[in-house]
């Protein structure tokens, strides 16, 4: 019997740790994007409706934003806030799936999170094209990597449940110990 580990723990515990981590990641992502939204709304207000008006970014970079770029940034950041909010709601589905050992709920979480991660990647490309705030781009790279790892871990947990049935962490350790003594 092959069992996989996540975060140094059996998959069930690792998936719960990922769910709790998700709460903090999504709250931070929403806060960072809300701050960026406010900044871009202020940039848009500075243009006073003049699409030719340019202003320098506040992070001392040489690039300038036009009114159109500020509007595009507002749309991208608003979409990112919505994605983080939906992912925050999905944490409940993942927690319930892990606690109930329900592979169907974990599978639904996997599918929706995969779609949202792909959309987040598309937003990342949009931010790169706009030469957006570097710290937000760094967070987006971290988030896409983290979500990819999470999806893989939850998928492994789901497959483990479907293959070996409902086993908890204590039984997992017993199975591993018995396999080690047989070899």
């Amino acid at each position: 019997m092959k069992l996989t580990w996540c975060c140094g723990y059996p998959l069930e515990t690792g998936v719960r740790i990922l769910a709790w981590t998700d709460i903090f990641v999504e709250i931070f992502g929403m806060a960072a994007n809300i701050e960026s939204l406010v900044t871009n709304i202020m940039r848009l207000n500075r243009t006073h409706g003049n699409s030719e008006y340019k202003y320098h970014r506040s992070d001392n970079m040489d690039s300038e934003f036009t009114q159109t770029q500020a509007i595009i940034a507002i749309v991208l950041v608003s979409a990112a806030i919505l994605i983080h909010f939906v992912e925050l709601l999905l944490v409940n589905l993942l927690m319930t799936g892990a606690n109930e050992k329900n592979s169907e709920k974990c599978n639904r979480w996997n599918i929706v999170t995969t779609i949202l991660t792909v959309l987040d990647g598309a937003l990342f490309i949009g931010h790169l094209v706009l030469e957006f705030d570097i710290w937000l781009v760094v967070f987006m790279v971290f988030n896409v990597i983290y979500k990819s790892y999470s999806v893989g871990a939850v998928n492994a947990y789901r497959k483990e449940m479907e293959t070996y049935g409902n086993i908890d962490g204590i039984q997992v350790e017993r199975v591993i110990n018995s396999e080690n003594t047989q070899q």
Side-chain angles (χ1 to χ4, degrees):
M1 177 191 233
K2 180 181 182 245
L3 298 170
T4 312
W5 295 75
C6 171
C7 303
Y9 297 96
L11 277 174
E12 179 181 351
T13 306
V15 167
R16 286 186 184 133
I17 291 170
L18 287 173
W20 281 105
T21 305
D22 245 12
I23 292 172
F24 298 110
V25 168
E26 300 314 329
I27 289 173
F28 179 79
M30 285 178 64
N33 281 290
I34 288 171
E35 187 275 331
S36 184
L37 179 66
V38 169
T39 301
N40 282 296
I41 288 172
M42 289 172 34
R43 287 177 179 158
L44 185 61
N45 285 338
R46 282 188 224 148
T47 64
H48 303 292
N50 183 357
S51 62
E52 299 300 316
Y53 178 81
K54 293 183 178 182
Y55 52 92
H56 291 282
R57 292 177 52 178
S58 60
D59 56 358
N60 298 325
M61 296 184 81
D62 292 332
S63 64
E64 297 176 339
F65 271 62
T66 63
Q67 181 183 20
T68 305
Q69 289 171 315
I71 291 171
I72 293 170
I74 289 170
V75 169
L76 290 175
V77 169
S78 298
I81 291 170
L82 181 63
I83 288 173
H84 286 294
F85 180 73
V86 171
E87 287 179 338
L88 189 59
L89 295 176
L90 283 174
V91 169
N92 185 42
L93 183 65
L94 181 58
M95 275 290 210
T96 306
N99 289 335
E100 295 175 357
K101 298 179 177 103
N102 185 327
S103 66
E104 185 58 37
K105 286 183 180 181
C106 290
N107 190 40
R108 275 187 256 150
W109 181 89
N110 254 357
I111 291 169
V112 175
T113 300
T114 300
I115 292 168
L116 293 175
T117 302
V118 169
L119 291 174
D120 214 17
L123 292 176
F124 167 71
I125 293 169
H127 287 309
L128 286 179
V129 169
L130 281 177
E131 297 178 12
F132 211 47
D133 297 327
I134 191 70
W135 60 271
L136 193 56
V137 171
V138 169
F139 173 76
M140 292 179 85
V141 168
F142 163 78
N143 192 44
V144 168
I145 292 169
Y146 167 74
K147 287 296 179 178
S148 299
Y149 175 77
S150 296
V151 165
V154 172
N155 192 44
Y157 176 59
R158 184 185 59 79
K159 286 181 180 179
E160 183 177 277
M161 282 189 294
E162 291 172 355
T163 304
Y164 302 114
N166 294 337
I167 52 179
D168 61 20
I170 296 170
Q171 290 173 326
V172 168
E173 290 174 17
R174 288 183 188 150
V175 168
I176 290 173
N177 289 337
S178 69
E179 284 182 353
N180 290 340
T181 57
Q182 290 175 358
Q183 294 174 357

